[in-house]
Each structure stands twice: as structure tokens, then as C-alpha cells.
Amino acid sequence: MTWWSLLDGAGAACLLLGALLCLAGAVGLVRFTDTLSRLHAATKPQTLGLILILTGLALTLRTWAAVTTLVLLAATQFFTSPVSAHLVGRAAYRNRRVDTDTLEVDELSQALARARSDEDTEPKTR
């Protein structure tokens, strides 16, 4: 077995595992009923699945131009997916699209209540 065939096998394994994680995330996105559960299914396995797919491509292609592009794509996905999911989850919470009975800790309700009470006590200047 040569070094090149070992890299091709590792690349194929990463591609297959990444595709399975993306499939699991898509199934979870369709089957889960709660907004926060759907966000979890849309971000966690999708991000790891995409990073595994990009790693498999980097192991298979083995050129510096491809590897740098794939690293840039992975970094972009790694940093933007949690931020966008956080903002969508917060918007869903503010619009009361979250089942608060299923939450174990609800820190946002206290912060929103304080913000509303601060708005009520401020004098109106119009």
C-alpha cells in the first residue's frame, strides 16, 4: 500500500462520514418539532459534516490552491453557523416560537424582563 492510496482511503472515509452527518442533520431538521431542536440539527452535524467533507477533498486533491480554499471555506462555516443560529434562536424566543416548558434553564426571560422594566421607567422625551 502506497502513501497516495492511504491518503485516498482517508479522504474517502472523511467524505462518507461527512455525508452521513449532513444526512443526519437534514433528517433531524425535518423530524424535530421545536425551533431550538431544529437549530441544533441544522448547525452541529451540518458544520462537522461540511468540515469532514472539506477535509476529505483536501486529502484527495492534495494541491495548495485547493487546500487553502477549503480551509477558508471551513473557517467561514465554523464561525458563521453558530452566530446565525444564535440570532435565529433569539428571534424565535422573542417572537414566542420556543416552547419554554422544555427549557432547563431560561436566562433570557430574566434579561428581557429587566430590559422591559428599564424601558418602562425611562422618561419619554418626545
Side-chain angles (χ1 to χ4, degrees):
M1 180 174 259
T2 65
W3 179 254
W4 299 109
S5 62
L6 184 68
L7 286 177
D8 285 338
C14 285
L15 284 170
L16 184 62
L17 187 60
L20 288 175
L21 278 172
C22 288
L23 178 67
V27 168
L29 191 62
V30 171
R31 296 207 38 155
F32 289 151
T33 57
D34 187 23
T35 304
L36 299 180
S37 300
R38 285 183 175 179
L39 282 175
H40 180 77
T43 55
K44 303 289 186 206
Q46 292 291 345
T47 301
L48 182 59
L50 180 68
I51 289 174
L52 280 172
I53 287 173
L54 296 176
T55 302
L57 284 172
L59 289 172
T60 304
L61 296 175
R62 295 187 284 276
T63 62
W64 283 108
V67 170
T68 54
T69 304
L70 295 173
V71 166
L72 182 64
L73 285 172
T76 303
Q77 176 70 21
F78 187 73
F79 289 119
T80 59
S81 181
V83 173
S84 62
H86 174 78
L87 293 175
V88 169
R90 195 170 179 109
Y93 187 91
R94 284 181 183 251
N95 291 325
R96 294 178 178 86
R97 300 285 185 205
V98 174
D99 185 15
T100 55
D101 296 334
T102 60
L103 298 178
E104 289 186 28
V105 177
D106 189 8
E107 296 174 353
L108 190 56
S109 65
Q110 298 166 0
L112 289 176
R114 269 184 303 202
R116 286 186 192 115
S117 68
D118 290 344
E119 287 176 0
D120 293 340
T121 59
E122 289 181 5
K124 305 287 187 222
T125 56
R126 285 189 189 184

